[in-house]
């Protein structure tokens, strides 16, 4: 049996070593493409419909007309995943992504979007210690792209704004996660993750208009609401972060991960994760029918 993953490219499912896109593809040339990524829990894909809804909204924002509709994209995704699950080691899981670029450069109206669906193993080992020790977050001097320039709500291939922040922060501390503020100095999001603060039992997160509205952010809001917490989506700044009791980030891969410090200042909670973060992590694990924290910690 092959041990190589497969990917879908423009109508074909191929071993990854044979799957390719043109050097003239605008996704490669200009980052002119859209993607979305969900993950599996024990091989089960999570909230695919919601990820596809966001994906098709990103495509619409980018004015890319995908020749493959949502229902077909769902089938392709499930098919690619099914084939790749056969070679997934026990205890691991996949990121599962759809990608559509504007196509190979050419005349407007003639370009045909390039379509890719692929799986990639989650970086469980790399991130395991974050679940034991918490993540150190450092605010970057790079501000998150303002909605007036390019909407951070669309998930596009162009991640340079976030990558610049990551490079800056990781040159100071290779394990730290970049925190991006918006152009007004409000907390925005981490590199690839949404941020939440907990202060006196109330949970706060930046407003959706200025961030990529994470599916895990939404799941966390739902779980917290069901647990009876008050959730406020509002402008927050560094003062709010420094004075909060707990901080955590959410993303498809992180689910919910505790933050231990901001700019070197320890969060107030003595334990990692703090009580509220732990309660939400447990609710998340229950929802996905898998102890995702244990999955990470097992890799230590
Ligand atoms: N913000 C950014 C910039 C991201 O790239 C991601 C990861 N997709 C998130 C937030 C979290 O989104 P989700 O929970 O849907 O993974």
């Amino acid at each position: 049996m092959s041990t190589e993953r497969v990917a879908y490219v423009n109508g074909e499912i191929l071993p990854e070593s044979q799957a390719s896109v043109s050097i003239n593809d605008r996704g490669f040339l200009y980052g002119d493409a859209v993607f979305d990524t969900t993950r599996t829990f024990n091989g089960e894909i999570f909230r695919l419909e919601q990820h596809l809804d966001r994906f098709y909204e990103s495509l619409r924002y980018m004015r890319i007309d995908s020749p493959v509709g949502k229902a077909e994209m769902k089938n392709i995704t499930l098919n690619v995943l099914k084939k790749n699950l056969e070679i997934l080691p026990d205890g691991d899981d996949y990121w599962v992504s759809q990608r559509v670029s504007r196509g190979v450069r050419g005349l407007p109206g003639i370009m045909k979007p390039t379509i890719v669906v692929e799986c990639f193993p989650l970086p469980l080992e790399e991130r395991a210690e974050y679940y034991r020790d918490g993540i150190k977050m450092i605010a970057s001097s790079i501000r998150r792209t303002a909605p007036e320039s390019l909407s951070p709500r669309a998930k596009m291939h162009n991640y340079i704004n976030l990558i610049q922040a990551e490079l800056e922060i990781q040159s100071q501390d290779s394990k730290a996660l970049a925190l991006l503020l918006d152009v007004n100095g409000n907390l925005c999001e981490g590199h690839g993750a949404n941020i939440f603060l907990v202060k006196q039992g109330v949970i706060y997160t930046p407003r959706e208009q200025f961030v990529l509205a994470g599916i895990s952010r939404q799941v966390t809001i739902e779980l917290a609401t069901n647990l009876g917490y008050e959730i406020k989506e509002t402008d927050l700044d560094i003062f709010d972060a420094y004075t909060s009791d707990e901080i955590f980030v959410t993303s498809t891969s992180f689910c919910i991960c505790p933050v231990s410090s901001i700019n070197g200042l320890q969060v107030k909670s003595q334990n990692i994760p703090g009580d509220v973060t732990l309660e939400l992590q447990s609710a998340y694990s229950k929802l996905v029918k898998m102890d995702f924290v244990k999955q990470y910690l097992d890799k230590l």
Side-chain angles (χ1 to χ4, degrees):
M1 198 177 79
S2 168
T3 52
E4 191 180 358
R5 288 189 305 275
V6 296
Y8 171 99
V9 183
N10 294 332
E12 280 184 290
I13 294 184
L14 302 159
E16 280 190 3
S17 57
Q18 292 165 42
S20 62
V21 291
S22 165
I23 60 162
N24 284 309
D25 195 278
R26 285 178 60 117
F28 174 67
L29 293 174
Y30 309 122
D32 188 3
V34 163
F35 77 109
D36 215 289
T37 300
T38 181
R39 64 161 283 176
T40 59
F41 291 98
N42 244 332
E44 288 276 320
I45 200 156
F46 184 62
R47 300 239 169 160
L48 178 58
E49 271 85 8
Q50 259 174 277
H51 280 275
L52 287 175
D53 286 347
R54 184 174 69 181
F55 182 55
Y56 280 84
E57 285 190 354
S58 300
L59 281 166
R60 174 147 178 90
Y61 173 74
M62 286 286 281
R63 302 171 190 234
I64 296 176
D65 196 7
S66 170
V68 170
K70 213 184 278 184
E72 194 184 345
M73 191 65 87
K74 181 178 171 184
N75 286 338
I76 295 168
T77 303
L78 295 175
N79 208 357
V80 170
L81 172 62
K82 191 168 162 223
K83 292 187 192 309
N84 286 323
L85 281 177
E86 289 169 15
I87 57 162
L88 181 71
D90 270 356
D92 286 357
D93 270 302
Y94 281 129
W95 264 316
V96 186
S97 302
Q98 304 81 20
R99 303 176 183 278
V100 174
S101 82
R102 201 173 306 279
V104 171
R105 63 178 157 191
L107 294 174
I110 292 188
M111 282 181 286
K112 225 172 104 236
T114 300
I115 301 172
V116 172
V117 177
E118 42 89 13
C119 294
F120 198 80
L122 288 174
L124 298 171
E125 210 171 308
E126 223 173 289
R127 294 181 172 179
E129 66 190 63
Y130 290 154
Y131 291 81
R132 182 191 60 199
D133 307 333
I135 300 179
K136 293 181 269 183
M137 278 189 109
I138 302 177
S140 164
S141 72
I142 312 282
R143 299 297 172 96
R144 185 76 176 107
T145 313
E148 292 84 352
S149 300
L150 189 63
S151 180
R153 304 172 75 176
K155 200 164 164 66
M156 290 161 288
H157 264 205
N158 189 331
Y159 258 45
I160 301 304
N161 173 238
L162 296 153
I163 290 169
Q164 276 291 338
E166 182 185 45
L167 291 171
E168 183 187 60
I169 294 320
Q170 293 196 341
S171 68
Q172 296 165 48
D173 181 338
S174 63
K175 289 288 170 79
L177 186 72
L179 168 64
L180 287 93
L181 309 181
D182 67 20
V183 290
N184 300 312
N186 293 312
L187 306 187
C188 208
E189 54 195 332
H191 175 271
N194 294 111
I195 184 165
F196 286 77
L197 311 180
V198 184
K199 194 170 178 180
Q200 289 164 356
V202 179
I203 302 174
Y204 298 87
T205 195
R207 287 188 285 147
E208 184 174 326
Q209 193 187 346
F210 303 106
V211 299
L212 182 82
I215 305 299
S216 346
R217 172 185 180 276
Q218 188 53 40
V219 171
T220 303
I221 291 172
E222 286 164 24
L223 293 172
T225 306
N226 290 342
L227 288 167
Y229 286 102
E230 187 182 352
I231 285 253
K232 289 190 180 164
E233 293 179 54
T234 184
D235 289 343
L236 301 161
D237 63 14
I238 283 287
F239 179 88
D240 295 308
Y242 286 177
T243 56
S244 56
D245 302 316
E246 295 175 41
I247 302 176
F248 61 85
V249 292
T250 64
S251 80
T252 288
S253 47
F254 281 134
C255 302
I256 296 178
C257 190
V259 171
S260 56
S261 65
I262 293 270
N263 296 341
L265 181 69
Q266 291 296 309
V267 293
K268 284 185 11 208
S269 166
Q270 296 295 309
N271 38 339
I272 295 286
D275 296 345
V276 177
T277 309
L278 181 63
E279 194 181 356
L280 289 168
Q281 282 183 325
S282 305
Y284 209 108
S285 285
K286 216 166 139 198
L287 177 75
V288 302
K289 300 189 195 72
M290 198 195 88
D291 187 342
F292 71 89
V293 176
K294 181 173 182 303
Q295 183 181 42
Y296 274 104
L297 292 176
D298 282 350
K299 298 285 182 185
L300 282 172

